Amino acid sequence: MKNTIKGEEKGELLSNYALAFGKSSLIQSISDFFDESGKEDEVSVVHLENDYSLLSVTNSESFQSINNSMVFFKGWFQEHAAKSIVLGQQGFNQWLENNPGVSLGNEFEGSYISAIFDKQKLVVRNDLFSFLPVIYFSNKELFVCSDSMYIISEIRKLLDLPCEINRKVMHSRAWTHGLACAAMSNDSQIQNVKLLSPGKHIEIKLSKGIFSSTTKLQSKKIIKSKDLKELFATKYDNY
């Protein structure tokens, strides 16, 4: 019996994007999974060295080579300094080419997800307010992120990874007042699946052990890009 993603009758993907970085064999399994679900036109795979690959699943965007880096972008943002709006993958590519020395260490206002692979490292970030969520999991062989918990759970089941309920998170979400709508931590409803906080990003490096030639993924903790309290601070006591 084939693994398929069951959405509505038309087999909708139920997400805006899915990205993966890891061992080529695992990436191929995920690619086949989406192909069997009728999404072969939305799947793009980039093969890297050391038997690792990048994968993107979305309706129009894919990893593209820009300034010696592999770049993925979906959405839009506004850059106040240049008084411009960057729209879509082509707009982002042009923005990078027109600003070769631009710092990508900050999140921008808008709604987007970006992933840049350069110098054996993948950096994933989204917009300042996290309007386009990043739900992810990682281990020494694979990193996967999406805005859909359903897609994340299906990929974990495909790879025989546990999909156990995180009861502490479920209990916090069971409250009947407004706090239940807010994420109380970076943990999600599924154990070992995380949610990226606003103003932060993720770095995943290809590295080798000191006494081993085996290449593995090293996922850094969520890295703080902006101090949101300082960003929105005002010299006035009130509005």
Side-chain angles (χ1 to χ4, degrees):
M1 181 177 179
K2 292 183 177 181
N3 291 309
T4 56
I5 299 175
K6 295 181 180 180
E8 299 182 358
E9 293 182 359
K10 295 182 180 180
E12 295 181 0
L13 186 59
L14 303 178
S15 70
N16 287 301
Y17 73 91
L19 301 176
F21 171 39
K23 285 282 189 180
S24 294
S25 57
L26 298 175
I27 296 297
Q28 187 60 53
S29 297
I30 299 173
S31 176
D32 293 341
F33 177 58
F34 282 101
D35 288 347
E36 293 172 1
S37 302
K39 302 299 177 183
E40 61 275 2
D41 294 337
E42 301 178 4
V43 177
S44 176
V45 177
V46 177
H47 297 289
L48 308 171
E49 59 183 17
N50 298 319
D51 196 30
Y52 277 79
S53 299
L54 295 167
L55 173 141
S56 63
V57 184
T58 185
N59 55 3
S60 58
E61 297 81 10
S62 63
F63 278 100
Q64 299 180 14
S65 179
I66 303 293
N67 296 336
N68 299 317
S69 302
M70 297 305 302
V71 176
F72 173 91
F73 181 88
K74 183 178 181 68
W76 67 275
F77 68 81
Q78 53 185 349
E79 185 190 11
H80 294 289
K83 298 181 179 180
S84 62
I85 295 177
V86 176
L87 181 62
Q89 178 86 61
Q90 292 185 353
F92 187 69
N93 293 349
Q94 183 177 354
W95 180 72
L96 288 178
E97 291 177 346
N98 293 341
N99 301 275
V102 68
S103 172
L104 297 176
N106 295 324
E107 285 71 29
F108 296 94
E109 293 181 33
S111 178
Y112 68 88
I113 170 75
S114 72
I116 299 178
F117 182 81
D118 183 39
K119 298 179 181 178
Q120 305 296 301
K121 178 175 69 177
L122 178 70
V123 178
V124 177
R125 65 176 78 244
N126 62 348
D127 55 87
L128 185 59
F129 296 100
S130 199
F131 286 129
L132 195 56
V134 177
I135 305 168
Y136 70 96
F137 69 88
S138 64
N139 54 39
K140 293 181 179 181
E141 295 185 336
L142 181 67
F143 167 84
V144 179
C145 70
S146 175
D147 64 327
S148 168
M149 184 67 75
Y150 179 72
I151 294 298
I152 291 291
S153 65
E154 288 295 308
I155 292 177
R156 287 184 67 87
K157 287 186 285 187
L158 167 73
L159 302 175
D160 292 326
L161 296 173
C163 272
E164 299 177 358
I165 295 296
N166 190 326
R167 296 189 179 278
K168 290 184 178 180
V169 174
M170 296 301 291
H171 290 164
S172 70
R173 292 297 183 94
W175 297 346
T176 56
H177 48 72
L179 283 177
C181 299
M184 307 300 288
S185 70
N186 296 116
D187 296 326
S188 74
Q189 295 93 327
I190 299 177
Q191 291 187 21
N192 298 317
V193 175
K194 304 292 185 179
L195 176 67
L196 182 64
S197 298
K200 299 182 180 180
H201 67 272
I202 309 169
E203 292 183 2
I204 307 95
K205 291 183 178 181
L206 278 174
S207 63
K208 293 183 179 180
I210 299 176
F211 303 105
S212 173
S213 60
T214 303
T215 303
K216 63 180 181 180
L217 292 186
Q218 181 182 6
S219 179
K220 283 192 175 182
K221 294 181 179 179
I222 299 174
I223 299 172
K224 190 174 185 179
S225 300
K226 279 185 177 293
D227 187 331
L228 296 184
K229 184 177 180 180
E230 179 181 347
L231 178 66
F232 294 106
T234 174
K235 61 182 180 180
Y236 305 104
D237 292 335
N238 54 55
Y239 290 100

